[in-house]
Amino acid sequence: EDFDIRMNFDGDAFISYAHMDDVELIEGRKGWVANLHRALTVRVGQLLGEAPQIWRDPKLQGNDLFAETLVDRLRHVALLISVVSPRYVRSEWTRREVAEFWEAAEKQGGIHFHEKARIFKVVKTPVPLDMHPPKLQSILGYEFFKIDPDTGRVRELDEAFGPDAQRDFWFKLDDLAQDI
């Protein structure tokens, strides 16, 4: 059957992230999450042949009330994209976003669609799996970092770390976009 999951939702995807992860490394440039959002919108749009509705909340702070509008938004998107980092896994807010999306998805026929999860885990910075929100632990992630084989140091895929990191970012982003 050629059923389009997008027909049942107001938006295609919601990006759940910790605001600290969108602070620009180089002043005057966009933050990492803003770059991911823009690039995903463009690439998914190119693959679909129409612009997707990918949404994130750019302004909420940890001390704001968990807005009903946000909860409502989470109930009306087809996919959740979680940007996992040390800050993300410590945030009560992001854990609640995952829980609210999961609960809504279960009422909409399940968290899976054609054997694929409706949650995409973007791992910006590695965090031990047991620290990930429980609902995300079984989901394979898209690793947006490389580990230097000589030093064991982690390097995020960001243009600030040079052309190789930038190229690897685009390869990983393209995998994510095609799977979405």
Side-chain angles (χ1 to χ4, degrees):
E1 93 205 70
D2 192 22
F3 173 74
D4 185 355
I5 191 172
R6 299 170 70 217
M7 300 298 289
N8 295 337
F9 298 96
D10 299 336
D12 295 323
F14 177 83
I15 299 174
S16 171
Y17 69 103
H19 291 266
M20 186 183 285
D21 292 319
D22 197 37
V23 176
E24 64 277 3
L25 277 177
I26 300 169
E27 205 168 344
R29 298 274 179 92
K30 280 187 182 302
W32 196 90
V33 178
N35 279 329
L36 177 83
H37 187 174
R38 189 198 71 78
L40 255 188
T41 300
V42 170
R43 193 67 191 116
V44 171
Q46 290 170 340
L47 292 164
L48 284 175
E50 62 179 289
Q53 297 294 315
I54 299 176
W55 187 74
R56 70 189 159 97
D57 192 328
K59 67 190 182 313
L60 293 172
Q61 300 302 318
N63 60 354
D64 289 347
L65 291 172
F66 195 79
E68 278 307 307
T69 53
L70 181 59
V71 171
D72 196 53
R73 262 333 230 302
L74 285 164
R75 289 185 188 131
H76 293 95
V77 292
L79 308 172
L80 182 73
I81 300 163
S82 290
V83 180
V84 174
S85 68
R87 180 70 190 133
Y88 187 90
V89 301
R90 288 180 177 88
S91 164
E92 202 52 51
W93 191 277
T94 55
R95 286 176 174 271
R96 178 135 182 232
E97 288 175 348
V98 172
E100 292 283 352
F101 177 82
W102 192 282
E103 189 181 318
E106 287 190 324
K107 291 174 185 161
Q108 297 154 348
I111 200 73
H112 292 90
F113 182 77
H114 288 319
E115 310 304 313
K116 300 283 186 192
R118 286 173 49 200
I119 294 181
F120 290 80
K121 183 165 69 172
V122 166
V123 184
K124 178 181 185 280
T125 317
V127 181
L129 193 60
D130 63 357
M131 290 179 67
H132 291 208
K135 303 283 192 200
L136 296 183
Q137 290 181 13
S138 64
I139 295 170
L140 292 175
Y142 296 79
E143 294 183 350
F144 277 80
F145 62 87
K146 285 275 194 297
I147 297 174
D148 185 310
D150 300 326
T151 64
R153 289 183 187 264
V154 171
R155 297 278 183 243
E156 289 179 6
L157 301 185
D158 187 292
E159 64 179 349
F161 296 118
D164 286 355
Q166 190 170 13
R167 183 202 64 218
D168 291 344
F169 172 89
W170 285 105
F171 275 122
K172 191 59 70 172
L173 180 109
D174 201 54
D175 288 343
L176 175 62
Q178 291 197 41
D179 290 346
I180 286 172

